[in-house]
Amino acid sequence: MGNRLFQEARKYVEIAKNSAGEESVSRAKNALSSAFANSTAAEQAQLREMQQELEQYSQYR
């Protein structure tokens, strides 16, 4: 099944990218932070990419 925290982070980033709410962005950031400490190096690289996507999205809203 994989890392549950990683899966949640991915889900919340997608929700934030498809939402106009600041709460969804905050939730995605929290999920990314929680997942990072409990992930493999490969997952951490993907989490960094998701974080960059989220930051870019947040700038253009």
Side-chain angles (χ1 to χ4, degrees):
M1 175 171 162
N3 183 335
R4 182 183 60 81
L5 292 173
F6 178 83
Q7 298 296 329
E8 286 182 9
R10 184 184 333 209
K11 177 182 84 171
Y12 285 123
V13 168
E14 285 304 313
I15 290 170
K17 288 169 44 180
N18 294 314
S19 172
E22 190 64 33
E23 183 179 337
S24 62
V25 172
S26 178
R27 187 171 291 171
K29 287 179 180 180
N30 286 338
L32 285 166
S33 179
S34 295
F36 194 82
N38 297 304
S39 298
T40 65
E43 289 171 332
Q44 288 176 349
Q46 290 178 33
L47 289 166
R48 280 191 284 277
E49 289 176 15
M50 286 186 252
Q51 186 174 25
Q52 289 173 348
E53 287 177 26
L54 187 61
E55 288 174 6
Q56 289 174 352
Y57 168 78
S58 296
Q59 290 177 350
Y60 295 112
R61 278 192 313 118

